[in-house]
Amino acid sequence: MMAGTDLKSLIDRLEETQSLTREEWTELIRRRNPETAEYLFERAREVRIRHYGRDIFIRGLIEFTNYCRNDCYYCGIRKSNGKAERYRLTKDQILSCCEQGYRLGFRTFVLQGGEDGWFTDERMADIISEIRSGWPDCAITLSIGERERESYQMFFEAGANRYLLRHETFDHDHYARLHPPGLSAAHRQKCLRDLKEIGYQVGTGFMVGSPYQTPENLADDMIFLKELNPQMVGIGPFIPHHDTPFADREAGTVELTVYMLGLIRLLLPKVLLPSTTALGTISPDGRERGVLAGANVVMPNLSPTQVREKYLLYDNKLCTGDEAAESLKNLDARLKAIGYHITVARGDSLNIS
Ligand code: 5AD
């Protein structure tokens, strides 16, 4: 099937129509090669420059707790990892992160954490309201996992604008092989629909090269992205963590990750697309390669330095180099070397539909 179909013409059609069939996606992913990839990146860069110029948006990431009630097989801060050194930031510590971030030029704060019961709805809403009144010109992004719709509603009313929740993988069976019983693709996807309906700008995404992942799974992820039409899509390579059930699995590659980034840029031309820390972690030039494949966001770390090395979702996670918020100048210099630059604009998605 599709034996004679030329991959370049599929890429052209993707750019023109922002849509492909499941079979076409699968072929485009399975039969990729360096020449096709280079062509894809050229198209993706052109689309990105048309909508966003050469600007790179920055988000200040505050990893405020690594306690988590979940036990995802891939994740270093899973509940069963007795070796993880747990921490949670106080409200004052979180507010100081915002203060420092604002001074550095950040206009989006991302509160990211494990699913930590200590942060009840009331405590979260209180923190969100304080940030909202202290920094009224900033966007507040939450990345705290699955909650009830009522909780999401409460956080939105307290002043949160955006929510990041990766769907991880669309396929229900694949999802079940990455997560313990009790967690489901269906519930994850319901949360995403709730968030959208409430009015959040939503970010979703998946790991590339996670255990058992097939080209068909990635094809389904692309079709899901098209249907959800999120404002942001975060993807990064799976990287094993030594104290998880997936310790001995192979990591995802830069090569497939940047290829997926290029495809996402053509599928959702105006989407916000981070070049993630995980991508920077598996290769010294990973972050740059992400940008050259169509990414337009970076999320430096604003957490207090002494906790950064504890928020370890995977091995060797970068936390003290140019991905640190204090090093924006270095990051900007690296981006300038490839023809891009950091902007301090809030960077709301143009993908408001
Ligand atoms: N490798 C790469 N990404 C990971 N994440 C969690 N564990 C890993 C890992 N071992 C990603 C998940 C999650 C996000 C916060 O980090 O996709 O949604």
Side-chain angles (χ1 to χ4, degrees):
M1 181 190 186
M2 304 204 10
T5 313
D6 156 27
L7 296 188
K8 280 189 183 167
S9 62
L10 282 184
I11 291 171
D12 288 339
R13 187 143 51 77
L14 171 61
E15 183 182 348
E16 278 159 33
T17 66
Q18 287 95 51
S19 139
L20 293 176
T21 65
R22 184 172 191 261
E23 289 67 32
E24 289 168 338
W25 279 120
T26 305
E27 289 296 293
L28 196 48
I29 294 163
R30 178 173 283 129
R31 292 173 43 214
R32 69 189 188 281
N33 58 63
E35 193 195 331
T36 320
E38 206 31 66
Y39 181 69
L40 169 66
F41 301 150
E42 279 166 29
R43 301 312 315 150
R45 285 196 291 269
E46 193 181 306
V47 168
R48 169 260 160 68
I49 289 167
R50 190 184 313 146
H51 297 299
Y52 287 107
R54 291 172 170 274
D55 288 352
I56 305 274
F57 298 107
I58 51 172
R59 313 311 196 196
L61 190 59
I62 305 171
E63 295 159 339
F64 69 99
T65 173
N66 71 350
Y67 284 86
C68 191
R69 65 184 161 99
N70 285 336
D71 223 7
C72 309
Y73 303 148
Y74 47 81
C75 185
I77 66 168
R78 63 199 303 266
K79 173 177 64 185
S80 299
N81 181 8
K83 294 196 187 145
E85 233 187 284
R86 305 289 171 171
Y87 73 91
R88 51 174 80 88
L89 300 186
T90 64
K91 177 167 135 185
D92 284 348
Q93 284 178 305
I94 296 172
L95 295 172
S96 338
C97 291
C98 296
E99 199 168 299
Q100 203 213 338
Y102 195 90
R103 236 182 298 121
L104 290 167
F106 289 91
R107 294 298 176 268
T108 296
F109 304 125
V110 183
L111 296 184
Q112 181 166 94
E115 295 196 10
D116 178 359
W118 193 88
F119 288 98
T120 58
D121 291 352
E122 290 67 32
R123 284 182 171 141
M124 277 314 301
D126 174 55
I127 293 166
I128 295 162
S129 322
E130 289 240 2
I131 300 176
R132 174 50 59 235
S133 54
W135 294 276
D137 56 327
C138 291
I140 303 174
T141 304
L142 302 179
S143 178
I144 54 174
E146 299 183 13
R147 297 230 180 183
E148 298 296 324
R149 184 183 173 122
E150 293 67 39
S151 314
Y152 290 151
Q153 182 72 46
M154 181 173 170
F155 304 155
F156 190 74
E157 284 162 18
N161 319 89
R162 306 177 181 155
Y163 205 103
L164 308 181
L165 184 69
R166 290 185 176 181
H167 68 280
E168 309 297 358
T169 181
F170 172 79
D171 182 82
H172 294 220
D173 296 323
H174 185 223
Y175 197 95
R177 300 180 87 169
L178 302 180
H179 301 91
L183 295 180
S184 71
H187 191 258
R188 185 53 70 109
Q189 291 161 24
K190 178 191 180 294
C191 288
L192 283 162
R193 281 190 298 272
D194 286 344
L195 289 161
K196 255 207 135 184
E197 279 171 26
I198 290 169
Y200 283 96
Q201 296 173 41
V202 165
T204 195
F206 52 90
M207 288 180 292
V208 176
S210 59
Y212 315 108
Q213 186 179 63
T214 63
E216 284 78 6
N217 293 151
L218 289 168
D220 287 338
D221 289 326
M222 300 305 273
I223 293 164
F224 175 71
L225 289 181
K226 168 87 181 165
E227 185 210 307
L228 183 70
N229 190 27
Q231 280 76 30
M232 182 183 268
V233 178
I235 69 166
F238 160 73
I239 305 174
H241 183 289
H242 61 281
D243 289 319
T244 63
F246 289 160
D248 297 327
R249 300 291 175 146
E250 236 170 87
T253 63
V254 183
E255 180 269 320
L256 181 53
T257 306
V258 295
Y259 191 75
M260 296 310 299
L261 283 171
L263 294 178
I264 294 167
R265 173 58 65 209
L266 296 187
L267 175 69
L268 301 171
K270 297 180 179 176
V271 83
L272 293 161
L273 200 54
S275 193
T276 53
T277 306
L279 188 55
T281 295
I282 52 167
S283 166
D285 64 348
R287 191 95 70 154
E288 283 88 347
R289 287 174 65 185
V291 169
L292 291 171
N296 65 337
V297 177
V298 292
M299 302 174 70
N301 200 315
L302 263 183
S303 316
T305 37
Q306 66 280 14
V307 304
R308 277 183 205 170
E309 52 203 35
K310 299 185 181 145
Y311 200 84
L312 293 181
L313 307 185
Y314 44 81
D315 288 343
N316 306 314
K317 182 170 167 249
L318 296 179
C319 67
T320 52
D322 293 350
E323 66 299 323
E326 315 80 77
S327 316
L328 274 188
K329 277 209 179 74
N330 295 333
L331 186 58
D332 194 42
R334 282 174 63 169
L335 293 168
K336 281 187 173 133
I338 56 167
Y340 295 80
H341 50 256
I342 286 174
T343 170
V344 296
R346 227 175 87 137
D348 283 286
S349 170
L350 301 173
N351 188 26
I352 305 294
S353 53

